[in-house]
Amino acid sequence: MTAIDQSRTVAVVGTGTMGQGIAQVALAAGHLVRLYDAVPGRAAEAADAIGARLDRLVEKGRMDSAARDAARARLHPAAEPAELADAALVVEAIVEQLPVKQKLFTALEEIVDEDCLLATNTSSLSVTAIAGALRNPGRFVGLHFFNPAPLLPLVEVVSGFATEDAAATRAYDTAKAWGKTPVRCTDTPGFIVNRIARPFYAEAFAVYEERGADPATIDAVLRECGGFKMGPFELTDLIGQDVNEAVTRSVWESFFQNPKFTPSLAQRRLVESGLHGRKSGRGWYSYEDGAIRPEPHTAPATEPPPHLTVEGDLGPAGELIAMIREAGITVHECDEDRGTRILLPSGGQLALADGQTSAEFRDVVYFDLALDYRTATRIALSASEVTGWETLRQSIGLFQALGKKVSVIGDVPGMIVARTVAMLVDLAADAVAKQVASPRDIDTAMRRGVNYPLGPVEWGRRLGRAWAHELLDELHARVPSGRYAPSLGLYRQSYVPTEKDEAGA
C-alpha cells in the first residue's frame, strides 16, 4: 500500500459539516490534523465541535477516554495557510465555486511540499477544472466523502484528466487505511453515485407527473416491492428538495442537457415554493406538528381466482409459479411460445411490466418487478380504462392470496420498480462502457453510498442480459424523448451471454 503514513500531517481546509467530518476521520486514523478556515475563529470553533463529538463517543462507549485525549491533542486549528506547510495531504471542503477553489489550491501549491497530495471533496464541480489552474495538476485528486463522513463508508476517488496514477492510488490506499470503502472513477459529472442514482428520483417523479400514483404509494412500492430502504419522495424530503434538485440540474447541465438526466418540473415547483422538505416543515409530505402521513393506496380484500394458466416461464417473476401453487391455486402450464403471461378465468391476462401499456390490449393487467417476490410485502398492478373489472379483481385477489398488499396504479408504461431498475441498469452499463468506473466499483458505490439492495450491474445480470434493454426499447417507443433510448453500452451488453444464459443453454 502507498497510504500516507500515520505519522504525517493531514490538513483540512473548510470547517463546515463535511470539513469537520473529514478531520474527525483523519484523527481517528491517527494523524495529526490541522484545520484551517478563511473566516477568523472558525477553525478553533470547529476543533471544539469535533472535541465535543469525541466526548459523546466516549459517553456512548464507542471510544475510550485515552484515545479521545490523544485525538484531541493531535487536532490543531490553524490561523494562517502557512501553518499547513508540513501536510502530506490537504483536503478541501469549502464553498462549491470553481474560482474560489482554484484560488485556494494555487495558493496551497506555494506552501506545501512537492510530495503533498492535494484533494477536493467537491460533489458537483469538475476535478479536472479545479486542477486546471495548478502548476502541477498531476498530484490533484477528488476525495468525495459522503455526509456524515465519520459514519458513511464510501469515498469516491476521482481522477481528473491530468491526475497521475500514483496520486490516485495513494489517495485510494489512504482512504482504505482510514477504514473507508474507496472506489475509483474518472472525472465525470456526478462521479458514480450522483450520476447513476438520478433515475431513482426521476422515474418516481415522472410517474407522479403522469398521475400514475401519489407519492405515498410510489414510496411504498419502491420500499416494499423494490427493496429500497427509503422511497424517493421521503428521501428527497430528508436530503432537502433544493439540494437534490440542484444536484440533478448540475448533472443535467454538465451532460449538455442529456434527456436521461432531465430534472422534474414538479420538484422545481416545490423548490420555487420554498417547500424544501423536513428542514422547512413541508416538502412532498408535511412535517408540521400533528401532521398525518398519507397512507399508500391499498386495494380492499377480494377473492383470488380458483385456477389460472401460465404461458412461458415468466422471466424474472418465475418464482411466482411455485408461490401460486403453494397458495392452493391450480396452475396449468403451457409451453407454447406465445410470450410470458398468466391467463385468468376472466379471459384477461396478467403480465410482468415490459414497457407497454394496458390500453394497447383488450384486457391486460400488468404487475411490477420485485426484488424478491417471496419477501416483497406489496405489489403494484397497472390497468387502463379498457381493462375488464373482473380481470383486475382476480389479479388483486391473486397477489393478496400470496400475502401481498396490492396497490393499483394508473396505466404507466414500465410501472414503478421496473422502469426505475431498468434505468439504473442502463446508466451503469453506460458508465462501464465509457470506463467511468469498473462494474465492481459501481456496484460497491451504489450499495455503500446510497444503500441500494443490489448494485445495478449485478441487478442487470440477475434479470437477464436483454431484460432492461427490451423494457427501455418499449418505453422509448411510447415516450420518444430520448430519455428511455437504451445506451450503446446496454445495447452491446444485451448480446453478451450471462452465466445464467449459458447454464440454460
Side-chain angles (χ1 to χ4, degrees), residues 99-178:
V100 178
K101 291 182 188 287
Q102 288 178 327
K103 183 178 179 181
L104 168 66
F105 282 109
T106 53
L108 286 171
E109 247 189 339
E110 303 303 319
I111 296 170
V112 299
D113 291 339
E114 287 297 322
D115 68 342
C116 178
L117 188 65
L118 300 178
T120 175
N121 184 59
T122 185
S123 61
S124 61
L125 298 178
S126 164
V127 171
T128 300
I130 299 171
L134 299 182
R135 184 177 66 253
N136 177 16
R139 61 169 166 171
F140 191 83
V141 67
L143 270 180
H144 181 217
F145 290 78
F146 287 72
N147 191 30
L151 297 180
L152 296 186
L154 187 70
V155 177
E156 293 177 317
V157 180
V158 186
S159 291
F161 186 79
T163 302
E164 296 173 356
D165 288 343
T169 299
R170 193 178 189 200
Y172 180 96
D173 288 346
T174 298
K176 190 171 184 179
W178 289 0

Side-chain angles (χ1 to χ4, degrees), residues 12 14-16 19-21 23-24 27 33-37 41-56 68 71-79:
V12 178
T15 58
Q20 290 183 31
Q24 185 176 332
L27 273 178
V33 176
R34 298 194 191 280
L35 274 175
Y36 174 73
D37 196 289
R42 285 275 177 86
E45 292 174 3
D48 290 341
I50 294 170
R53 281 200 291 275
L54 297 178
D55 290 340
R56 287 195 292 274
R68 184 264 322 272
R72 296 186 76 158
R74 294 193 305 273
L75 180 60
H76 301 283

Side-chain angles (χ1 to χ4, degrees), residues 169-469:
T169 299
R170 193 178 189 200
Y172 180 96
D173 288 346
T174 298
K176 190 171 184 179
W178 289 0
K180 294 301 182 181
T181 303
V183 293
R184 297 174 185 261
C185 66
T186 59
D187 185 21
T188 184
F191 309 142
I192 299 176
V193 172
N194 281 332
R195 171 180 174 147
I196 294 175
R198 297 344 296 161
F200 178 69
Y201 312 107
E203 294 313 309
F205 298 161
V207 171
Y208 169 75
E209 289 175 337
E210 293 163 17
R211 295 298 183 260
D214 60 277
T217 299
I218 296 170
D219 276 352
V221 170
L222 282 161
R223 285 195 318 268
E224 301 171 37
C225 183
F228 293 93
K229 297 298 182 183
M230 293 183 74
F233 294 90
E234 58 190 345
L235 181 55
T236 52
D237 268 357
L238 178 63
I239 295 169
Q241 298 302 331
D242 53 336
V243 173
N244 182 262
E245 202 263 352
V247 172
T248 298
R249 188 166 294 276
S250 173
V251 172
W252 176 61
E253 291 174 349
S254 296
F255 275 114
F256 307 104
Q257 301 186 355
N258 185 322
K260 286 185 179 290
F261 302 100
T262 301
S264 162
L265 180 59
Q267 188 181 36
R268 174 99 287 256
R269 292 293 180 258
L270 273 186
V271 174
E272 291 173 339
S273 301
L275 305 179
H276 294 167
R278 288 180 179 269
K279 62 186 178 184
S280 68
R282 184 180 167 195
W284 295 110
Y285 303 110
S286 175
Y287 301 92
E288 297 173 354
D289 291 341
I292 299 174
R293 181 72 173 265
E295 293 292 326
H297 173 270
T298 303
T302 188
E303 291 296 315
H307 60 85
L308 50 80
T309 299
V310 175
E311 291 187 347
D313 62 4
L314 297 187
E319 181 66 13
L320 285 175
I321 299 175
M323 293 171 61
I324 293 169
R325 284 197 171 109
E326 291 165 11
I329 299 171
T330 301
V331 177
H332 305 287
E333 293 188 65
C334 178
D335 293 331
E336 292 184 26
D337 189 13
R338 294 186 294 183
T340 56
R341 56 187 178 174
I342 296 173
L343 303 181
L344 298 167
S346 66
Q349 302 172 28
L350 182 62
L352 176 62
D354 59 7
Q356 300 183 84
T357 62
S358 294
E360 299 169 49
F361 305 97
R362 185 181 62 82
D363 196 11
V364 171
V365 171
Y366 280 105
F367 65 93
D368 211 345
L369 179 72
L371 173 68
D372 183 328
Y373 283 98
R374 283 198 175 273
T375 59
T377 57
R378 183 179 298 271
I379 293 291
L381 301 181
S382 175
S384 72
E385 294 179 356
V386 300
T387 303
W389 164 243
E390 188 61 19
T391 295
L392 179 58
R393 189 190 68 79
Q394 290 180 4
S395 299
I396 294 170
L398 172 62
F399 281 103
Q400 288 176 339
L402 304 185
K404 317 300 180 187
K405 296 177 183 177
V406 177
S407 293
V408 179
I409 69 171
D411 190 13
V412 178
M415 301 192 66
I416 299 172
V417 180
R419 71 195 278 177
T420 299
V421 171
M423 285 293 284
L424 291 172
V425 171
D426 179 63
L427 291 192
D430 181 59
V432 170
K434 293 175 179 174
Q435 298 183 354
V436 169
S438 69
R440 180 177 181 178
D441 278 353
I442 287 173
D443 277 359
T444 298
M446 302 313 291
R447 284 187 289 104
R448 302 304 298 274
V450 280
N451 211 16
Y452 282 6
L454 286 176
V457 177
E458 180 187 358
W459 220 330
R461 290 196 189 107
R462 287 194 182 189
L463 292 168
R465 68 175 188 264
W467 179 85
H469 177 272

